[in-house]
Amino acid sequence: MSIFGTVVVKRGQYKIKGDFHTITPNMPIRSEDEKWHLVGVTNPRCMTYIHTYGGEAVFFENLSKGRIHGSRCDNPDCEFPGTVYLPFRIHCPDCLQRSTVVDLTEVCKTTATIHTFMVCERSGAFNTLDKPIKFINVEFEGVSTILMSYLSVGDPKIGMRVVPIFQTLEPTYTITDLSWVPEGTPSSKLPKGFTFG
Amino acid sequence: MITFSDRQLKTPKLMRPVYLVTAGQSKFDRAIPEKRTEELCIDALAMAARLIDKTPAELKRYIHSCYYGHFADHFGDQLLGEAVIHDRLGLDPLGNIGIKTGGATGGSTLWEAVKAVASGYSDCVLAMGWERMDEVPTDEGNHLISCAADKDWETPLGHIYTGYYAVMAQKYWQVFGREEESFRRTLAEISVKHHGYARFNPFAQAPMKITVEDVLKSPVVAYPLRALDCCLMSVGAACAIICDEDTAMELTKGTKNKPLRIWVAAGSHTLRPACRRHMEIPLLPHEKADQYADLGERFPGGERYPGFTGFLGARMCTYYGYRMAGIHNPMDDLDVIELHDAFTISDVQSYEDVGLRPYGEGRDYVESGDCYHTNPHTGKPGRLPSNLSGGLIGCMHAVGATGIMQTFEIALHLWNRWAELHGDPDIWKAFNRKKPDDWQDLQVKGAKRGMAISHAGVGSHVTATILMDPDHLLKPDA
Ligand SMILES: [Zn+2]
């Protein structure tokens, strides 16, 4: 029985434990149209990438604690100092100076509206969200960019007020830990594992 | 608010005239199990040689360097596929390089090829693009495409790129379409048109005689986009030969291909539509300074630019390209166009970005009948026919090949060879496809100038490839 590969960082190196790939044999592909002659083979594989969040790690760590962090350029020499970004930008795109991490949780809780949305009936492979997925793009007061996320309760509409919910009980440490519900949704309606933070 | 310096907005200039000499393409299909990618590339190169009455070996003698476009190593499961293809084309040890800009890969490959010739580095360049999208199941293919979005912030939300387009579609549809049923029908008309034109193209994989109702009843993928609003997943290859003037003349002497002047300009914009910061609309040569001052009043919700309703990258490539080639108004100066119809809605969005209609009024390009080969309202030639190949919706979207296929299609009109290639019974037969009894010649009569738009993930990269008959230039020193 194989075990999922796990990774920790120790003294600047990735330390790996468990299985990171499983061996599966190639299988022939034959043509029913052409007297079952050989056409090719399947090349199956199961791989796990070791991926760093780098300077964005703070955002994903804090989602699990019910906080939303963004960033702000505080370089007085920047052409546009004070610009606030969510999604998080480690560096200001104008001056490339490292941004200040700012807690936007209250801004998100009090000013979020749906900029646009769509309802997705089909997903790609490896999707973990329930279908239909209600993609929403959320805008906030004082934030220069718009966040892509998903609505967990109700039907989206442009201009609708929404509030964030967080997968605080069993976090995945991915962007799917953050979702949204219409303003005024009671906590009894939240999906399993989610809280208001 | 973001701004740009004059240096950043400088009109590009080629150091010497560059020509498209010939081009070629393979069959396109959802799956081609009987051929390896290299066989498709050889089919394309052999066609390019044949169109100028050469053998592939004779044509290869002229090629000095090679540009290879394919979107994803994942699809063919071959890292550095360009090296494999280069070797199999027998072009070792010439220099070659791979190009990768998502859906715009074909256009970007031409961009690089043109610059290589313009700079004097090469006198003859091969631009070859391909994609192999049949070697994973469709849902895994959708996942791989979605990996072109931001892997941390977007891909996990559905693992499907259509969704990232659909949020833009929704915004455009509600703001500029005013959620009108008539707008939805206009979108469906685009699908009917492109699948319909594909019926006259032996290379095309999705010929269909359908109605607006068929499109409106097709299954929802990501509302408001339905299955028949979406481009195809494809396998296939396309190539072009790009030369300086002397080589172009030598290669085409005594053949039906008149060398065509070619310009390619590129624009880009953030991969995450969410990161689009507000800016002023960059104006095309025929637009006026205050033209969009009241856009938000006329279309409530449409005041944020570029927002989610337009493709700034598409605007930028034509901002540069029109000035480079001397185009004032594309509706007047071009005779035929191929647009990147990834989805019916993105086709409409592009009409505005490239200036066929002002922002907010793209639907009129279809509703007026201007986009048709023959205007359905008047029975006369359409003012600026688009996507006569069938486009990405009807012909194919073998990603790395797409921008080159579109350019080849435009070139065939300028060479007056459209019917020769699309009507050839031997090609229909070789591809095991039935030429329809009501096959129509879609040659745009007397076409002298055309353009192909190649576009990537929600507008992250876009190129404008402009072709002109050298005797009908708009700017003498272009
Ligand atoms: Zn800055």
Side-chain angles (χ1 to χ4, degrees):
Chain A
M1 177 72 183
S2 59
I3 54 159
F4 271 128
T6 57
V7 185
V8 296
V9 173
K10 201 173 165 184
R11 288 187 212 100
Q13 299 297 316
Y14 288 117
K15 301 287 175 197
I16 295 168
K17 223 164 95 180
D19 293 334
F20 271 79
H21 61 266
T22 49
I23 297 163
T24 317
N26 304 80
M27 298 296 285
I29 302 170
R30 293 187 174 276
S31 171
E32 193 175 338
D33 302 337
E34 299 287 338
K35 298 178 183 167
W36 298 102
H37 285 164
L38 182 72
V39 173
V41 291
T42 65
N43 286 329
R45 77 209 45 181
C46 170
M47 292 171 55
T48 301
Y49 281 91
I50 300 167
H51 171 66
T52 179
Y53 279 141
E56 290 179 355
V58 56
F59 173 85
F60 294 97
E61 177 90 279
N62 281 304
L63 278 189
S64 66
K65 299 172 187 155
R67 310 299 296 174
I68 298 171
H69 283 74
S71 61
R72 184 181 62 220
C73 178
D74 284 337
N75 174 10
D77 298 327
C78 180
E79 191 184 358
F80 301 108
T83 308
V84 178
Y85 298 93
L86 179 62
F88 196 99
R89 281 179 175 259
I90 304 162
H91 298 269
C92 166
D94 294 317
C95 66
L96 299 189
Q97 189 154 118
R98 202 165 170 105
S99 302
T100 307
V101 176
V102 287
D103 189 334
L104 297 175
T105 314
E106 288 317 303
V107 171
C108 292
K109 285 186 171 175
T110 53
T111 75
T113 58
I114 294 180
H115 180 75
T116 182
F117 70 96
M118 72 94 190
V119 180
C120 181
E121 308 279 348
R122 297 184 192 182
S123 65
F126 314 114
N127 167 51
T128 57
L129 303 176
D130 291 336
K131 280 178 279 189
I133 306 164
K134 294 156 188 169
F135 277 55
I136 55 171
N137 292 84
V138 191
E139 59 177 87
F140 315 97
E141 268 172 41
V143 176
S144 71
T145 50
I146 294 175
L147 181 71
M148 175 167 267
S149 192
Y150 65 107
L151 189 76
S152 284
V153 172
D155 295 315
K157 231 179 125 43
I158 289 177
M160 182 175 161
R161 285 289 320 272
V162 289
V163 293
I165 59 169
F166 305 88
Q167 194 154 14
T168 47
L169 303 182
E170 282 179 24
T172 64
Y173 303 99
T174 70
I175 194 69
T176 61
D177 286 349
L178 174 65
S179 182
W180 302 79
V181 295
E183 190 181 36
T185 301
S187 47
S188 60
K189 287 269 181 68
L190 301 193
K192 197 168 159 278
F194 279 82
T195 65
F196 285 109
Chain B
M1 188 75 169
I2 39 173
T3 56
F4 298 95
S5 71
D6 289 345
R7 284 179 186 225
Q8 290 171 316
L9 296 177
K10 181 192 145 187
T11 300
K13 173 105 181 103
L14 304 180
M15 299 292 284
R16 59 175 177 168
V18 181
Y19 292 83
L20 172 80
V21 162
T22 186
Q25 63 192 21
S26 71
K27 177 187 183 179
F28 302 116
D29 215 332
R30 177 67 188 90
I32 306 184
E34 70 278 17
K35 287 197 177 191
R36 254 179 78 103
T37 308
E38 81 197 54
E39 297 174 85
L40 301 169
C41 292
I42 288 171
D43 287 348
L45 187 57
M47 176 175 289
R50 201 159 57 244
L51 289 180
I52 49 169
D53 309 324
K54 301 266 182 302
T55 64
E58 285 166 349
L59 175 56
K60 281 197 325 176
R61 289 269 163 212
Y62 288 82
I63 295 170
H64 180 261
S65 53
C66 302
Y67 291 82
Y68 295 119
H70 71 129
F71 170 32
D73 295 333
H74 302 304
F75 273 116
D77 193 19
Q78 172 64 65
L79 202 62
L80 206 53
E82 43 275 40
V84 175
I85 298 296
H86 189 67
D87 169 30
R88 304 297 168 90
L89 292 178
L91 287 162
D92 284 337
L94 305 176
N96 76 82
I97 194 162
I99 312 293
K100 200 176 305 295
T101 56
T105 295
S108 301
T109 304
L110 291 169
W111 190 40
E112 292 305 313
V114 164
K115 288 186 290 182
V117 173
S119 70
Y121 185 93
S122 292
D123 293 339
C124 180
V125 168
L126 169 66
M128 173 77 79
W130 66 85
E131 214 66 54
R132 178 103 238 173
M133 304 181 86
D134 61 347
E135 297 203 338
V136 288
T138 301
D139 66 336
E140 289 186 13
N142 272 316
H143 164 72
L144 294 178
I145 296 167
S146 80
C147 292
D150 189 301
K151 287 277 289 197
D152 291 340
W153 293 80
E154 292 168 335
T155 303
L157 302 166
H159 296 257
I160 187 159
Y161 222 98
T162 310
Y164 317 132
Y165 267 101
V167 291
M168 294 190 67
Q170 188 75 260
K171 189 74 178 179
Y172 185 95
W173 140 259
Q174 296 206 17
V175 171
F176 295 115
R178 303 179 196 273
E179 297 187 71
E180 282 176 23
E181 204 41 44
S182 61
F183 178 71
R184 190 66 196 76
R185 297 185 74 82
T186 299
L187 293 183
E189 244 187 82
I190 295 167
S191 174
V192 172
K193 165 179 167 262
H194 294 186
H195 284 295
Y197 287 153
R199 295 179 61 241
F200 310 131
N201 182 353
F203 301 92
Q205 82 188 62
M208 284 186 207
K209 209 172 187 168
I210 50 169
T211 64
V212 163
E213 267 62 38
D214 293 330
V215 181
L216 296 178
K217 275 189 254 156
S218 66
V220 171
V221 176
Y223 189 83
L225 300 176
R226 293 172 182 271
L228 286 172
D229 285 302
C230 302
C231 61
L232 305 163
M233 274 201 195
S234 313
V235 183
C239 73
I241 301 290
I242 308 295
C243 298
D244 75 317
E245 191 161 303
D246 290 346
T247 313
M249 292 305 171
E250 191 181 329
L251 266 170
T252 55
K253 201 171 170 196
T255 78
K256 292 186 200 164
N257 278 15
K258 185 177 188 177
L260 303 172
R261 283 287 296 276
I262 181 170
W263 298 263
V264 188
S268 77
H269 197 208
T270 171
L271 183 67
R272 294 195 292 219
C275 286
R276 296 174 172 189
R277 295 160 73 196
H278 185 70
M279 62 177 281
E280 271 181 37
I281 299 178
L283 297 178
L284 298 177
H286 62 304
E287 293 180 326
K288 309 237 164 13
D290 59 349
Q291 183 167 347
Y292 296 117
D294 62 345
L295 195 62
E297 288 155 43
R298 287 186 286 133
F299 300 100
E303 58 284 341
R304 185 176 177 132
Y305 186 85
F308 277 55
T309 54
F311 300 111
L312 175 58
R315 172 57 50 135
M316 290 312 292
C317 71
T318 47
Y319 179 95
Y320 293 122
Y322 291 168
R323 288 171 170 87
M324 217 174 160
I327 292 170
H328 178 71
N329 183 339
M331 287 303 300
D332 298 334
D333 296 336
L334 300 175
D335 303 308
V336 57
I337 192 168
E338 285 277 323
L339 292 158
H340 191 97
D341 51 330
F343 301 96
T344 51
I345 185 92
S346 53
D347 203 49
V348 176
Q349 291 169 287
S350 300
Y351 305 157
E352 303 174 0
D353 295 316
V354 310
L356 307 183
R357 288 295 187 275
Y359 276 113
E361 295 165 36
R363 60 190 293 178
D364 183 63
Y365 179 52
V366 177
E367 290 163 3
S368 65
D370 284 354
C371 69
Y372 287 87
H373 176 266
T374 304
N375 186 321
H377 308 306
T378 63
K380 296 200 170 112
R383 194 171 157 211
L384 178 58
S386 73
N387 294 53
L388 300 177
S389 66
L392 286 65
I393 287 174
C395 179
M396 69 85 156
H397 189 21
V399 185
T402 304
I404 301 174
M405 174 279 282
Q406 297 171 304
T407 302
F408 182 34
E409 179 80 7
I410 297 295
L412 286 172
H413 286 286
L414 271 51
W415 288 323
N416 197 26
R417 298 186 77 173
W418 193 93
E420 181 191 334
L421 265 279
H422 293 74
D424 183 350
D426 290 343
I427 295 182
W428 287 92
K429 206 169 148 214
F431 293 166
N432 201 18
R433 286 177 174 148
K434 190 181 175 303
K435 188 176 174 182
D437 296 333
D438 60 346
W439 183 85
Q440 272 180 40
D441 180 356
L442 298 180
Q443 169 71 42
V444 174
K445 295 214 166 58
K448 302 296 178 207
R449 303 183 208 104
M451 177 169 77
I453 296 292
S454 189
H455 161 128
V458 287
S460 66
H461 304 77
V462 191
T463 64
T465 300
I466 297 164
L467 295 179
M468 288 189 199
D469 179 324
D471 294 326
H472 292 83
L473 300 184
L474 294 168
K475 192 168 141 186
D477 64 336

